[in-house]
Amino acid sequence: MIDQKLYSILGTLEGEVGIYFEDIQTGEKILINPDSVFSAASTVKIPLVSLLFQEVSEGKINLNDIIELSEENRVGGTGIIKNLDKRYKPTVLDLATLAIIVSDNAATNQLVDLVGGLEGITKYCDSIGLTNTKFQRKMMDIKAKASGKDNLTTARDMGNILAKLARNEIVSANASRQIVDIMKSQQLRSKLPAYIPAIDTSDPADHHTKITHGTVMVANKTGDLDRVQHDVGIFILPGNNYYILTMFTSNLSADSEGIRAIGEVSKAIYEEMAAKYQYKKEN
């Protein structure tokens, strides 16, 4: 039944699609073109931040260190650092938070330098099983993209890293929880959370409130380029039941169509999962 709903939604969409769904409790999966390679856009910031926490765990980086941004990393596109006084010096944790919750490109580029550059991020991805994820250019590096270098991933790769985060398997249980908590503060919520009763987590104090019946916590990360729309997320239902959904689209007739389709797929999956788990006795 759910497969039919998804294909009905996708049948109205012009473009390429990749989907990965996993019920963390049962291991049940729905895969649609899971290994099709897409330009990753900003979804690649998740493995970048994961590598950052790996280096923190090894004592190479301190999340509380104050960082002075290099001028070359102050790029445009999404984010807020480009609009702030150049005297502003964020902490490493600030950079990670900004890279995720407002998809800040300047923060992302500075993090790339902190973890040792592009090649190390791709090696890290390989080490955790994201074999089709490549970090080959910084954000807004138009020259690199024109030369054929791009950041690449698949719905399966992003689904796998999110599943590892949900299972507390990235770096350590504490690091995994920290990364997910950052993702819960996501402010770009027009796709996966848009058509479902997602909890407003703009206040970090709300992150650990009990999820009540009829609501869902969404920790997501978007990505978009011209005619390219992605969103990937961890969903937490009442009773601490988790599921993963990643959706990638490209060659769209219009960006609005990709945004709509991601929201509708998310709604169909949520309704299926809510019926399955929502009224179980909470843990």
Side-chain angles (χ1 to χ4, degrees):
M1 178 68 76
I2 184 61
D3 287 9
Q4 292 177 354
K5 286 183 180 180
L6 298 186
Y7 280 111
S8 176
I9 295 166
L10 299 179
T12 66
L13 183 68
E14 179 182 325
E16 307 299 319
V17 175
I19 292 176
Y20 179 101
F21 160 81
E22 180 178 351
D23 180 339
I24 294 296
Q25 288 66 234
T26 66
E28 174 192 358
K29 295 178 182 177
I30 297 173
L31 308 174
I32 300 175
N33 304 322
D35 299 314
S36 293
V37 177
F38 290 83
S39 177
S42 289
T43 64
V44 80
K45 295 169 185 178
I46 296 173
L48 168 61
V49 169
S50 298
L51 172 56
L52 172 72
F53 274 81
Q54 176 67 48
E55 303 226 323
V56 169
S57 75
E58 295 171 359
K60 298 175 182 177
I61 297 173
N62 188 319
L63 289 175
N64 296 317
D65 282 351
I66 304 295
I67 302 299
E68 184 167 354
L69 273 78
S70 67
E71 192 60 35
E72 68 174 17
N73 286 333
R74 291 181 179 275
V75 296
T78 53
I80 61 170
I81 286 179
K82 65 181 185 289
N83 302 116
L84 301 180
D85 192 305
K86 290 186 177 181
R87 291 172 294 181
Y88 167 61
K89 295 181 181 179
T91 65
V92 174
L93 182 58
D94 288 339
L95 291 175
T97 301
L98 290 169
I100 295 295
I101 72 171
V102 292
S103 209
D104 196 293
N105 288 328
T108 300
N109 286 354
Q110 195 68 41
L111 288 177
V112 171
D113 291 346
L114 280 174
V115 300
L118 302 170
E119 186 177 346
I121 304 166
T122 297
K123 286 182 178 179
Y124 172 75
C125 290
D126 286 339
S127 75
I128 60 171
L130 311 186
T131 55
N132 289 309
T133 300
K134 314 295 180 188
F135 210 126
Q136 301 181 109
R137 66 176 179 86
K138 284 185 172 181
M139 301 295 109
M140 303 302 292
D141 189 341
I142 307 303
K143 186 179 293 186
K145 188 171 184 181
S147 71
K149 295 178 180 179
D150 200 3
N151 300 324
L152 306 171
T153 196
T154 66
R156 190 193 301 272
D157 275 8
M158 283 299 110
N160 282 341
I161 192 171
L162 292 185
K164 288 176 184 291
L165 283 167
R167 297 186 180 107
N168 294 326
E169 295 172 355
I170 291 294
V171 185
S172 66
N174 185 57
S176 291
R177 285 191 290 266
Q178 282 185 275
I179 295 167
V180 174
D181 277 347
I182 291 172
M183 292 176 63
K184 287 176 182 176
S185 290
Q186 179 59 247
Q187 296 187 23
L188 307 176
R189 297 170 66 83
S190 64
K191 301 176 197 176
L192 287 178
Y195 302 156
I196 62 177
I199 295 170
D200 179 4
T201 57
S202 56
D203 181 357
D206 293 336
H207 291 179
H208 303 291
T209 59
K210 201 166 191 178
I211 302 166
T212 58
H213 290 310
T215 66
V216 57
M217 178 81 76
V218 183
N220 68 302
K221 180 71 197 80
T222 61
D224 56 82
L225 298 165
D226 183 36
R227 306 300 173 92
V228 169
Q229 293 292 329
H230 312 323
D231 204 356
V232 304
I234 299 169
F235 297 72
I236 311 170
L237 290 166
N240 211 34
N241 295 297
Y242 286 69
Y243 67 92
I244 305 299
L245 178 59
T246 74
M247 183 164 169
F248 289 76
T249 67
S250 65
N251 298 320
L252 296 165
S253 59
D255 287 306
S256 59
E257 287 301 294
I259 293 168
R260 175 193 58 78
I262 292 171
E264 290 182 356
V265 165
S266 180
K267 181 181 179 184
I269 293 288
Y270 168 77
E271 289 174 348
E272 182 82 3
M273 292 295 288
K276 184 176 182 180
Y277 287 115
Q278 186 161 270
Y279 298 106
K280 290 181 71 174
K281 184 178 179 180
E282 294 188 26
N283 295 336

